Amino acid sequence: MRLSVLALAEERPMWELAGPGGAVAAHCSCAEADGVLGTASGLVVVEADRVGFVSRRQLQQRSILGRTRSRTPVGRLADWSAPVLPSSVTLAAAVEAVLSRPEEHRYDDLLLRGPAGGAEAWRLLPAGAVLEALAVSMARRASRDELTGLLNRSAFFEHLHEVSLGLPGTGRRLAVVFFDLDRLKHVNDTLGHNVGDALLVSVARRLKAASHPGDLLARIGGDEFVVALTVPNGSDSDLHALLHRIAGRYLAVLRRPDPALDERARSSASLGAALSPRDAGPGGVETLLREADLAMYGAKQAGGDRVVVSSLPPLFDDPDPDRMPHSMHRALAQDELVLHYQPILDLGEGRISAVEALIRWQHPSDGLLGAERVLAAASADNALVEMDLWVLRRALGQLREWSDRLGERAPDWMNVNLSTVTLANPDLAAEVLRVIAECGVPTSRVRLELPETTTLDLAEGAPEQLTALLEAGVQLSLDDVGAGTSSLRHLATLPVAEMKIDHSFIGRMAVDDRARAVVEMLTNLARGLSITVTAEGVEAVDQLRQLMELGVDHVQGYFVAPPAPAAVVEAVLTAQQLGVGATLFPRTFFLPG
């Protein structure tokens, strides 16, 4: 399988990721080879003009089988089709090599031939290391602004919410400074966009030099930058002065001329800063950003080239500590949680093949709250495991009801999200299987979605739990693939059934060729590993057309159908007709009549 799209992936040598690899002649016995093995994962086998590979597992099996078999020439065990790559092999070429191998050898190490005259003749590159490097490369492309290398808008907001979740009770407060360049449009119009781009790169470099470790710095728009940081509690007047000094430090570096720029490409900036209230929860992040943005516009209206600090603490949506976030146990006890279901459309069959269960909170004061607020509350109240099991039980009960009433028109699978906390639960398998049995649903119809933030250490740290679930027939799905650095590495260690491509790539396909390239690469990767691929966040017909051209199996998003109560989804399931003509119709059931 040829993945031409990988030419667009980040090119980097793999030599430093490879481990030591000894070499033996093909006529050496397995016992002799085992003595050379040491701590390596395998050995390079050489015979005349061909090169092969034998793994540690193969050699150890021969040793266990007895002395006679240990005399077998190692060449009889070698995989002579193993690809031999140069020491300068790039990430793109390494991924290509992994995917082009036969399935039985797909996760064997790759052989890297040392540079001429080098101290090492061979190194072994694990397939898992290749997939992890690919994940790192894609995560950077998903989270970074192409021009400046800073965080982009979506990544900044995600990081900011993570920081806000950990602030309550720490005695620190969140501060945000917005920047808007006053003359970028003039520079672009008079000197050209190349010079304007150089100005943006210069601004990013200077802001980065002025920031401190731990500060979040991003470019969130054409001429807009933002920095977020935490500061210790103090009096309002002291904190107001501190925030003015911080913003002033950034303004000073922007005022300073950059000798690398055209003298006419200078630009002043308008800065707005805001500070969160004491012990504010994550629900107030959007309000804090709005306050800083308004302060920035105040600076611009006053003539620019200045700092304005929001004078009043922003009013948050959840000031009452009894309301948010520490009330998840109450919500569970009083049955305030509800599930909405989002259909997943099989493009080949033109039918809804699965639905994803998404939690909502019918809050007595705040109305219907989305998943982000619910998860924040459950995390703060140490109720994630309890909440996840509640979702699983309620969702599988609904699947059983649909199966009884709708027969073949019921979804084949129910996708249920599990938090990293739940995945670390030592009783995970027993509790999940108990819930499945209580609901009377076949295990093969249950898909557990692993969050992108699941680390390999966590997955490997609970092998008995995951193995028990897989052996029982439960399927695993990798969520938000491409958004971070951990998902792809799981492909080398877990037999997952589904890969869900992160919505950030789908949303940019129409305007960013690299985003389309990543989607194509992930689709081909999944196909090579016999994994179902689902594109998340499909919101427009042009995105759907491109996904169909790329051969994506399944799609999910507001263009197909938004999350909705069970009764609405059941109406769609009842009315759907098999065939290609049905691929777009579900959305019409969700439009206001």
PDB file of all heavy atoms in Angstrom, residues 389 392 418 422-437 443 448 462-472 474:
ATOM      1  N   LEU A 389     -19.970   4.447  34.816  1.00  0.00           N
ATOM      2  CA  LEU A 389     -20.763   3.224  34.916  1.00  0.00           C
ATOM      3  C   LEU A 389     -22.254   3.520  34.780  1.00  0.00           C
ATOM      4  O   LEU A 389     -23.009   2.716  34.217  1.00  0.00           O
ATOM      5  CB  LEU A 389     -20.468   2.510  36.234  1.00  0.00           C
ATOM      6  CG  LEU A 389     -19.059   1.914  36.349  1.00  0.00           C
ATOM      7  CD1 LEU A 389     -18.830   1.339  37.742  1.00  0.00           C
ATOM      8  CD2 LEU A 389     -18.823   0.845  35.288  1.00  0.00           C
ATOM      9  N   LEU A 392     -22.809   3.882  31.069  1.00  0.00           N
ATOM     10  CA  LEU A 392     -22.775   2.575  30.416  1.00  0.00           C
ATOM     11  C   LEU A 392     -24.091   1.829  30.637  1.00  0.00           C
ATOM     12  O   LEU A 392     -24.678   1.273  29.691  1.00  0.00           O
ATOM     13  CB  LEU A 392     -21.605   1.759  30.962  1.00  0.00           C
ATOM     14  CG  LEU A 392     -21.410   0.369  30.355  1.00  0.00           C
ATOM     15  CD1 LEU A 392     -21.023   0.477  28.885  1.00  0.00           C
ATOM     16  CD2 LEU A 392     -20.344  -0.415  31.123  1.00  0.00           C
ATOM     17  N   LEU A 418     -15.127   6.316  28.161  1.00  0.00           N
ATOM     18  CA  LEU A 418     -14.599   6.067  29.493  1.00  0.00           C
ATOM     19  C   LEU A 418     -13.502   7.076  29.787  1.00  0.00           C
ATOM     20  O   LEU A 418     -12.652   7.349  28.936  1.00  0.00           O
ATOM     21  CB  LEU A 418     -14.029   4.649  29.605  1.00  0.00           C
ATOM     22  CG  LEU A 418     -15.010   3.489  29.476  1.00  0.00           C
ATOM     23  CD1 LEU A 418     -14.273   2.170  29.685  1.00  0.00           C
ATOM     24  CD2 LEU A 418     -16.158   3.612  30.475  1.00  0.00           C
ATOM     25  N   THR A 422     -11.447   6.063  35.090  1.00  0.00           N
ATOM     26  CA  THR A 422     -12.155   4.781  35.053  1.00  0.00           C
ATOM     27  C   THR A 422     -11.285   3.697  34.446  1.00  0.00           C
ATOM     28  O   THR A 422     -11.297   2.543  34.897  1.00  0.00           O
ATOM     29  CB  THR A 422     -13.464   4.932  34.261  1.00  0.00           C
ATOM     30  OG1 THR A 422     -14.292   5.907  34.901  1.00  0.00           O
ATOM     31  CG2 THR A 422     -14.212   3.615  34.183  1.00  0.00           C
ATOM     32  N   LEU A 423     -10.513   4.026  33.431  1.00  0.00           N
ATOM     33  CA  LEU A 423      -9.643   3.038  32.804  1.00  0.00           C
ATOM     34  C   LEU A 423      -8.575   2.530  33.760  1.00  0.00           C
ATOM     35  O   LEU A 423      -8.060   1.427  33.593  1.00  0.00           O
ATOM     36  CB  LEU A 423      -8.989   3.633  31.555  1.00  0.00           C
ATOM     37  CG  LEU A 423      -9.926   3.845  30.361  1.00  0.00           C
ATOM     38  CD1 LEU A 423      -9.236   4.665  29.286  1.00  0.00           C
ATOM     39  CD2 LEU A 423     -10.395   2.513  29.804  1.00  0.00           C
ATOM     40  N   ALA A 424      -8.224   3.337  34.761  1.00  0.00           N
ATOM     41  CA  ALA A 424      -7.228   2.927  35.746  1.00  0.00           C
ATOM     42  C   ALA A 424      -7.837   2.135  36.899  1.00  0.00           C
ATOM     43  O   ALA A 424      -7.120   1.684  37.789  1.00  0.00           O
ATOM     44  CB  ALA A 424      -6.502   4.154  36.297  1.00  0.00           C
ATOM     45  N   ASN A 425      -9.150   1.958  36.881  1.00  0.00           N
ATOM     46  CA  ASN A 425      -9.839   1.233  37.948  1.00  0.00           C
ATOM     47  C   ASN A 425      -9.445  -0.253  37.907  1.00  0.00           C
ATOM     48  O   ASN A 425      -9.636  -0.917  36.885  1.00  0.00           O
ATOM     49  CB  ASN A 425     -11.354   1.380  37.753  1.00  0.00           C
ATOM     50  CG  ASN A 425     -12.163   0.622  38.785  1.00  0.00           C
ATOM     51  OD1 ASN A 425     -11.631   0.148  39.786  1.00  0.00           O
ATOM     52  ND2 ASN A 425     -13.457   0.489  38.529  1.00  0.00           N
ATOM     53  N   PRO A 426      -8.898  -0.802  38.995  1.00  0.00           N
ATOM     54  CA  PRO A 426      -8.462  -2.206  38.972  1.00  0.00           C
ATOM     55  C   PRO A 426      -9.608  -3.196  38.793  1.00  0.00           C
ATOM     56  O   PRO A 426      -9.378  -4.358  38.447  1.00  0.00           O
ATOM     57  CB  PRO A 426      -7.772  -2.387  40.335  1.00  0.00           C
ATOM     58  CG  PRO A 426      -8.339  -1.316  41.198  1.00  0.00           C
ATOM     59  CD  PRO A 426      -8.605  -0.161  40.286  1.00  0.00           C
ATOM     60  N   ASP A 427     -10.845  -2.760  39.021  1.00  0.00           N
ATOM     61  CA  ASP A 427     -12.008  -3.636  38.843  1.00  0.00           C
ATOM     62  C   ASP A 427     -12.768  -3.316  37.564  1.00  0.00           C
ATOM     63  O   ASP A 427     -13.947  -3.673  37.420  1.00  0.00           O
ATOM     64  CB  ASP A 427     -12.956  -3.495  40.044  1.00  0.00           C
ATOM     65  CG  ASP A 427     -12.295  -3.919  41.347  1.00  0.00           C
ATOM     66  OD1 ASP A 427     -11.550  -4.917  41.337  1.00  0.00           O
ATOM     67  OD2 ASP A 427     -12.500  -3.235  42.368  1.00  0.00           O
ATOM     68  N   LEU A 428     -12.107  -2.647  36.635  1.00  0.00           N
ATOM     69  CA  LEU A 428     -12.775  -2.175  35.422  1.00  0.00           C
ATOM     70  C   LEU A 428     -13.496  -3.300  34.687  1.00  0.00           C
ATOM     71  O   LEU A 428     -14.691  -3.206  34.391  1.00  0.00           O
ATOM     72  CB  LEU A 428     -11.765  -1.500  34.491  1.00  0.00           C
ATOM     73  CG  LEU A 428     -12.278  -1.133  33.098  1.00  0.00           C
ATOM     74  CD1 LEU A 428     -13.333  -0.048  33.185  1.00  0.00           C
ATOM     75  CD2 LEU A 428     -11.120  -0.697  32.202  1.00  0.00           C
ATOM     76  N   ALA A 429     -12.784  -4.372  34.361  1.00  0.00           N
ATOM     77  CA  ALA A 429     -13.371  -5.431  33.537  1.00  0.00           C
ATOM     78  C   ALA A 429     -14.573  -6.058  34.221  1.00  0.00           C
ATOM     79  O   ALA A 429     -15.635  -6.241  33.599  1.00  0.00           O
ATOM     80  CB  ALA A 429     -12.317  -6.490  33.222  1.00  0.00           C
ATOM     81  N   ALA A 430     -14.430  -6.384  35.497  1.00  0.00           N
ATOM     82  CA  ALA A 430     -15.527  -7.035  36.209  1.00  0.00           C
ATOM     83  C   ALA A 430     -16.762  -6.144  36.256  1.00  0.00           C
ATOM     84  O   ALA A 430     -17.891  -6.615  36.043  1.00  0.00           O
ATOM     85  CB  ALA A 430     -15.078  -7.397  37.624  1.00  0.00           C
ATOM     86  N   GLU A 431     -16.570  -4.858  36.511  1.00  0.00           N
ATOM     87  CA  GLU A 431     -17.718  -3.950  36.630  1.00  0.00           C
ATOM     88  C   GLU A 431     -18.374  -3.720  35.277  1.00  0.00           C
ATOM     89  O   GLU A 431     -19.613  -3.672  35.178  1.00  0.00           O
ATOM     90  CB  GLU A 431     -17.266  -2.642  37.269  1.00  0.00           C
ATOM     91  CG  GLU A 431     -16.826  -2.811  38.725  1.00  0.00           C
ATOM     92  CD  GLU A 431     -16.469  -1.502  39.388  1.00  0.00           C
ATOM     93  OE1 GLU A 431     -16.530  -0.457  38.709  1.00  0.00           O
ATOM     94  OE2 GLU A 431     -16.123  -1.517  40.581  1.00  0.00           O
ATOM     95  N   VAL A 432     -17.569  -3.560  34.229  1.00  0.00           N
ATOM     96  CA  VAL A 432     -18.138  -3.347  32.894  1.00  0.00           C
ATOM     97  C   VAL A 432     -18.909  -4.591  32.444  1.00  0.00           C
ATOM     98  O   VAL A 432     -20.040  -4.494  31.942  1.00  0.00           O
ATOM     99  CB  VAL A 432     -17.029  -2.998  31.886  1.00  0.00           C
ATOM    100  CG1 VAL A 432     -17.548  -3.089  30.441  1.00  0.00           C
ATOM    101  CG2 VAL A 432     -16.490  -1.595  32.148  1.00  0.00           C
ATOM    102  N   LEU A 433     -18.314  -5.759  32.612  1.00  0.00           N
ATOM    103  CA  LEU A 433     -18.982  -6.993  32.186  1.00  0.00           C
ATOM    104  C   LEU A 433     -20.239  -7.254  33.002  1.00  0.00           C
ATOM    105  O   LEU A 433     -21.223  -7.805  32.486  1.00  0.00           O
ATOM    106  CB  LEU A 433     -18.015  -8.170  32.286  1.00  0.00           C
ATOM    107  CG  LEU A 433     -16.829  -8.123  31.306  1.00  0.00           C
ATOM    108  CD1 LEU A 433     -15.871  -9.278  31.566  1.00  0.00           C
ATOM    109  CD2 LEU A 433     -17.308  -8.141  29.859  1.00  0.00           C
ATOM    110  N   ARG A 434     -20.256  -6.854  34.274  1.00  0.00           N
ATOM    111  CA  ARG A 434     -21.444  -7.016  35.102  1.00  0.00           C
ATOM    112  C   ARG A 434     -22.584  -6.153  34.562  1.00  0.00           C
ATOM    113  O   ARG A 434     -23.726  -6.607  34.461  1.00  0.00           O
ATOM    114  CB  ARG A 434     -21.140  -6.636  36.549  1.00  0.00           C
ATOM    115  CG  ARG A 434     -22.311  -6.899  37.520  1.00  0.00           C
ATOM    116  CD  ARG A 434     -21.974  -6.462  38.930  1.00  0.00           C
ATOM    117  NE  ARG A 434     -20.747  -7.072  39.401  1.00  0.00           N
ATOM    118  CZ  ARG A 434     -19.643  -6.398  39.695  1.00  0.00           C
ATOM    119  NH1 ARG A 434     -19.602  -5.081  39.544  1.00  0.00           N
ATOM    120  NH2 ARG A 434     -18.571  -7.033  40.123  1.00  0.00           N
ATOM    121  N   VAL A 435     -22.263  -4.902  34.198  1.00  0.00           N
ATOM    122  CA  VAL A 435     -23.284  -4.009  33.649  1.00  0.00           C
ATOM    123  C   VAL A 435     -23.816  -4.558  32.325  1.00  0.00           C
ATOM    124  O   VAL A 435     -25.031  -4.547  32.072  1.00  0.00           O
ATOM    125  CB  VAL A 435     -22.712  -2.590  33.463  1.00  0.00           C
ATOM    126  CG1 VAL A 435     -23.697  -1.717  32.690  1.00  0.00           C
ATOM    127  CG2 VAL A 435     -22.390  -1.958  34.803  1.00  0.00           C
ATOM    128  N   ILE A 436     -22.926  -5.047  31.471  1.00  0.00           N
ATOM    129  CA  ILE A 436     -23.359  -5.597  30.173  1.00  0.00           C
ATOM    130  C   ILE A 436     -24.305  -6.778  30.383  1.00  0.00           C
ATOM    131  O   ILE A 436     -25.342  -6.894  29.713  1.00  0.00           O
ATOM    132  CB  ILE A 436     -22.129  -6.013  29.340  1.00  0.00           C
ATOM    133  CG1 ILE A 436     -21.292  -4.774  28.962  1.00  0.00           C
ATOM    134  CG2 ILE A 436     -22.560  -6.755  28.076  1.00  0.00           C
ATOM    135  CD1 ILE A 436     -19.996  -5.113  28.257  1.00  0.00           C
ATOM    136  N   ALA A 437     -23.953  -7.642  31.335  1.00  0.00           N
ATOM    137  CA  ALA A 437     -24.798  -8.807  31.607  1.00  0.00           C
ATOM    138  C   ALA A 437     -26.162  -8.388  32.143  1.00  0.00           C
ATOM    139  O   ALA A 437     -27.198  -8.945  31.754  1.00  0.00           O
ATOM    140  CB  ALA A 437     -24.094  -9.731  32.597  1.00  0.00           C
ATOM    141  N   THR A 443     -21.822  -8.660  24.230  1.00  0.00           N
ATOM    142  CA  THR A 443     -20.599  -7.863  24.416  1.00  0.00           C
ATOM    143  C   THR A 443     -20.071  -7.325  23.092  1.00  0.00           C
ATOM    144  O   THR A 443     -19.453  -6.262  23.052  1.00  0.00           O
ATOM    145  CB  THR A 443     -19.511  -8.711  25.081  1.00  0.00           C
ATOM    146  OG1 THR A 443     -19.313  -9.914  24.311  1.00  0.00           O
ATOM    147  CG2 THR A 443     -19.897  -9.086  26.503  1.00  0.00           C
ATOM    148  N   LEU A 448     -16.117   0.608  23.722  1.00  0.00           N
ATOM    149  CA  LEU A 448     -15.638   1.535  24.738  1.00  0.00           C
ATOM    150  C   LEU A 448     -14.625   2.478  24.098  1.00  0.00           C
ATOM    151  O   LEU A 448     -13.608   2.025  23.552  1.00  0.00           O
ATOM    152  CB  LEU A 448     -14.991   0.766  25.897  1.00  0.00           C
ATOM    153  CG  LEU A 448     -15.899  -0.248  26.600  1.00  0.00           C
ATOM    154  CD1 LEU A 448     -15.132  -0.948  27.715  1.00  0.00           C
ATOM    155  CD2 LEU A 448     -17.150   0.430  27.144  1.00  0.00           C
ATOM    156  N   ALA A 462      -2.752  -1.825  32.911  1.00  0.00           N
ATOM    157  CA  ALA A 462      -3.947  -2.600  33.234  1.00  0.00           C
ATOM    158  C   ALA A 462      -4.191  -3.645  32.151  1.00  0.00           C
ATOM    159  O   ALA A 462      -5.286  -3.762  31.607  1.00  0.00           O
ATOM    160  CB  ALA A 462      -5.147  -1.673  33.356  1.00  0.00           C
ATOM    161  N   PRO A 463      -3.181  -4.452  31.816  1.00  0.00           N
ATOM    162  CA  PRO A 463      -3.357  -5.414  30.719  1.00  0.00           C
ATOM    163  C   PRO A 463      -4.410  -6.460  31.019  1.00  0.00           C
ATOM    164  O   PRO A 463      -5.136  -6.890  30.122  1.00  0.00           O
ATOM    165  CB  PRO A 463      -1.958  -6.047  30.580  1.00  0.00           C
ATOM    166  CG  PRO A 463      -1.315  -5.860  31.914  1.00  0.00           C
ATOM    167  CD  PRO A 463      -1.836  -4.548  32.424  1.00  0.00           C
ATOM    168  N   GLU A 464      -4.507  -6.868  32.281  1.00  0.00           N
ATOM    169  CA  GLU A 464      -5.496  -7.890  32.615  1.00  0.00           C
ATOM    170  C   GLU A 464      -6.905  -7.361  32.378  1.00  0.00           C
ATOM    171  O   GLU A 464      -7.782  -8.083  31.881  1.00  0.00           O
ATOM    172  CB  GLU A 464      -5.346  -8.319  34.077  1.00  0.00           C
ATOM    173  CG  GLU A 464      -4.004  -8.966  34.402  1.00  0.00           C
ATOM    174  CD  GLU A 464      -2.934  -7.929  34.738  1.00  0.00           C
ATOM    175  OE1 GLU A 464      -3.248  -6.703  34.698  1.00  0.00           O
ATOM    176  OE2 GLU A 464      -1.804  -8.322  35.021  1.00  0.00           O
ATOM    177  N   GLN A 465      -7.143  -6.089  32.726  1.00  0.00           N
ATOM    178  CA  GLN A 465      -8.475  -5.515  32.552  1.00  0.00           C
ATOM    179  C   GLN A 465      -8.848  -5.414  31.078  1.00  0.00           C
ATOM    180  O   GLN A 465      -9.931  -5.838  30.655  1.00  0.00           O
ATOM    181  CB  GLN A 465      -8.543  -4.132  33.202  1.00  0.00           C
ATOM    182  CG  GLN A 465      -8.149  -4.094  34.669  1.00  0.00           C
ATOM    183  CD  GLN A 465      -9.043  -4.976  35.513  1.00  0.00           C
ATOM    184  OE1 GLN A 465     -10.264  -4.939  35.373  1.00  0.00           O
ATOM    185  NE2 GLN A 465      -8.447  -5.773  36.386  1.00  0.00           N
ATOM    186  N   LEU A 466      -7.964  -4.863  30.281  1.00  0.00           N
ATOM    187  CA  LEU A 466      -8.244  -4.697  28.856  1.00  0.00           C
ATOM    188  C   LEU A 466      -8.338  -6.050  28.153  1.00  0.00           C
ATOM    189  O   LEU A 466      -9.196  -6.259  27.293  1.00  0.00           O
ATOM    190  CB  LEU A 466      -7.170  -3.827  28.216  1.00  0.00           C
ATOM    191  CG  LEU A 466      -7.138  -2.370  28.695  1.00  0.00           C
ATOM    192  CD1 LEU A 466      -5.928  -1.653  28.118  1.00  0.00           C
ATOM    193  CD2 LEU A 466      -8.411  -1.657  28.307  1.00  0.00           C
ATOM    194  N   THR A 467      -7.451  -6.959  28.532  1.00  0.00           N
ATOM    195  CA  THR A 467      -7.476  -8.281  27.920  1.00  0.00           C
ATOM    196  C   THR A 467      -8.777  -9.011  28.236  1.00  0.00           C
ATOM    197  O   THR A 467      -9.382  -9.651  27.361  1.00  0.00           O
ATOM    198  CB  THR A 467      -6.279  -9.116  28.403  1.00  0.00           C
ATOM    199  OG1 THR A 467      -5.068  -8.460  28.027  1.00  0.00           O
ATOM    200  CG2 THR A 467      -6.313 -10.511  27.795  1.00  0.00           C
ATOM    201  N   ALA A 468      -9.221  -8.906  29.486  1.00  0.00           N
ATOM    202  CA  ALA A 468     -10.473  -9.563  29.876  1.00  0.00           C
ATOM    203  C   ALA A 468     -11.646  -9.011  29.085  1.00  0.00           C
ATOM    204  O   ALA A 468     -12.529  -9.775  28.650  1.00  0.00           O
ATOM    205  CB  ALA A 468     -10.708  -9.392  31.376  1.00  0.00           C
ATOM    206  N   LEU A 469     -11.676  -7.705  28.876  1.00  0.00           N
ATOM    207  CA  LEU A 469     -12.763  -7.103  28.104  1.00  0.00           C
ATOM    208  C   LEU A 469     -12.711  -7.538  26.647  1.00  0.00           C
ATOM    209  O   LEU A 469     -13.731  -7.883  26.039  1.00  0.00           O
ATOM    210  CB  LEU A 469     -12.685  -5.577  28.210  1.00  0.00           C
ATOM    211  CG  LEU A 469     -13.032  -4.985  29.574  1.00  0.00           C
ATOM    212  CD1 LEU A 469     -12.704  -3.501  29.615  1.00  0.00           C
ATOM    213  CD2 LEU A 469     -14.510  -5.211  29.889  1.00  0.00           C
ATOM    214  N   LEU A 470     -11.515  -7.548  26.071  1.00  0.00           N
ATOM    215  CA  LEU A 470     -11.371  -7.943  24.680  1.00  0.00           C
ATOM    216  C   LEU A 470     -11.725  -9.412  24.486  1.00  0.00           C
ATOM    217  O   LEU A 470     -12.405  -9.785  23.520  1.00  0.00           O
ATOM    218  CB  LEU A 470      -9.941  -7.671  24.204  1.00  0.00           C
ATOM    219  CG  LEU A 470      -9.567  -6.191  24.053  1.00  0.00           C
ATOM    220  CD1 LEU A 470      -8.064  -6.023  23.929  1.00  0.00           C
ATOM    221  CD2 LEU A 470     -10.260  -5.592  22.838  1.00  0.00           C
ATOM    222  N   GLU A 471     -11.276 -10.269  25.404  1.00  0.00           N
ATOM    223  CA  GLU A 471     -11.567 -11.690  25.286  1.00  0.00           C
ATOM    224  C   GLU A 471     -13.061 -11.973  25.443  1.00  0.00           C
ATOM    225  O   GLU A 471     -13.571 -12.951  24.899  1.00  0.00           O
ATOM    226  CB  GLU A 471     -10.763 -12.473  26.322  1.00  0.00           C
ATOM    227  CG  GLU A 471      -9.262 -12.524  26.013  1.00  0.00           C
ATOM    228  CD  GLU A 471      -8.487 -13.289  27.065  1.00  0.00           C
ATOM    229  OE1 GLU A 471      -9.069 -13.573  28.137  1.00  0.00           O
ATOM    230  OE2 GLU A 471      -7.309 -13.600  26.810  1.00  0.00           O
ATOM    231  N   ALA A 472     -13.735 -11.088  26.187  1.00  0.00           N
ATOM    232  CA  ALA A 472     -15.185 -11.260  26.358  1.00  0.00           C
ATOM    233  C   ALA A 472     -15.965 -10.764  25.150  1.00  0.00           C
ATOM    234  O   ALA A 472     -17.184 -10.938  25.088  1.00  0.00           O
ATOM    235  CB  ALA A 472     -15.643 -10.533  27.618  1.00  0.00           C
ATOM    236  N   VAL A 474     -15.850  -7.427  23.979  1.00  0.00           N
ATOM    237  CA  VAL A 474     -16.032  -5.970  23.986  1.00  0.00           C
ATOM    238  C   VAL A 474     -15.039  -5.345  23.012  1.00  0.00           C
ATOM    239  O   VAL A 474     -13.878  -5.761  22.937  1.00  0.00           O
ATOM    240  CB  VAL A 474     -15.820  -5.402  25.402  1.00  0.00           C
ATOM    241  CG1 VAL A 474     -15.906  -3.875  25.389  1.00  0.00           C
ATOM    242  CG2 VAL A 474     -16.846  -5.988  26.367  1.00  0.00           C
TER     243      VAL A 474
END
